[in-house]
Amino acid sequence: LPLFTERDATAPDYGGKDNRAGITVELWVQTEHLMPGAPVVDWCDDSGGGVIVRAGKTEGLDILFGDGQTRGYWNLDPGLLPVTGTHHVTFIFDGGPKILSVEVDGIVQDGGDSRQFGWCRFSPELRGLAGSETATIAAGQRTAVERVRIYDRALLHSECIGNYRAGTSAGTTRVND
C-alpha cells in the first residue's frame, strides 16, 4: 500500500513529503452473522500498523487504523446497517485532505441524526496503513464477509456507488475476490 507521507531526502531540512496518496477498503458483509466486537478484516502487525474493521455495538462497523505510532478510529452511524442482509461498505482514506469517508449501500455517510458529519479527519502524521502482508478475514465467523477489495488509491464516491450497483445486479452469484 502507498505511503501517505515520507521523508524527503531532496529537501534541505529532510522534512516530510506529503504524497497525497490514499487507500480504499471495500467490503460486502452479511450483518446477521456478525458478532459485536468481532473482527471482519484485520491486517494489523505487531506494532499496530494496519487496519482492523470490526462489528460495532450499534448495528454498524468500527474501523481502527494506524502506522505503528499514529492511530485513529471511526464508526458508522448507529443503526445504519440493518441486522439482516448483505451490505456494501467502503472506507475511503484520502491522503490529500486527510479525510476518511464512508459509503454504505450506495449512499455516502452524512452523520445522520447522531453527528454533524459522516466523515472524519485523520492525523497528518499518519504515514500509511501497510501493516501485515496478510489479512485475516472474518476469523471465527460463519461467512460474514462475501467480498473484500483493497485499492491502492482513494476511490471517488461515484466509483464506490458504481461498484455497489454492479454488485447488486450480480445478485447472489458474486464471486469472492
Side-chain angles (χ1 to χ4, degrees), residues 3-18:
L3 291 174
F4 296 165
T5 61
E6 62 185 329
R7 188 79 52 210
D8 187 357
T10 63
D13 64 352
Y14 297 101
K17 176 182 174 186
D18 187 347

Side-chain angles (χ1 to χ4, degrees), residues 153-172:
R153 66 182 181 88
L155 293 183
L156 300 172
H157 284 289
S158 59
E159 291 175 301
C160 297
I161 292 167
N163 287 350
Y164 166 69
R165 290 181 179 168
T168 56
S169 67
T172 58

Side-chain angles (χ1 to χ4, degrees), residues 9-174:
T10 63
D13 64 352
Y14 297 101
K17 176 182 174 186
D18 187 347
N19 293 330
R20 302 185 65 80
I23 71 162
T24 302
V25 180
E26 180 182 56
L27 307 167
W28 286 91
V29 182
Q30 295 177 359
T31 52
E32 62 267 17
H33 297 302
L34 294 177
M35 304 288 288
V40 176
V41 175
D42 178 354
W43 75 80
C44 276
D45 59 18
D46 293 336
S47 72
V51 171
I52 298 175
V53 177
R54 67 181 184 198
K57 296 178 183 175
T58 56
E59 297 178 1
L61 296 174
D62 302 334
I63 186 165
L64 297 87
F65 54 92
D67 63 8
Q69 293 180 349
T70 304
R71 294 185 180 166
Y73 167 82
W74 190 247
N75 60 349
L76 299 184
D77 297 340
L80 189 63
L81 291 180
V83 177
T84 60
T86 300
H87 300 281
H88 179 257
V89 180
T90 308
F91 297 96
I92 306 163
F93 290 87
D94 190 340
K98 312 295 186 255
I99 290 178
L100 167 61
S101 57
V102 182
E103 172 269 329
V104 176
D105 291 339
I107 300 171
V108 179
Q109 186 176 349
D110 66 0
D113 295 331
S114 60
R115 56 182 147 215
Q116 185 176 7
F117 305 110
W119 52 269
C120 72
R121 290 199 180 270
F122 57 86
S123 172
E125 303 300 320
L126 185 69
R127 292 180 310 232
L129 300 172
S132 175
E133 291 184 12
T134 59
T136 303
I137 299 172
Q141 299 186 61
R142 198 182 84 215
T143 63
V145 179
E146 289 186 13
R147 181 186 297 170
V148 175
R149 288 185 181 151
I150 301 169
Y151 296 87
D152 63 355
R153 66 182 181 88
L155 293 183
L156 300 172
H157 284 289
S158 59
E159 291 175 301
C160 297
I161 292 167
N163 287 350
Y164 166 69
R165 290 181 179 168
T168 56
S169 67
T172 58
T173 60
R174 285 189 299 272

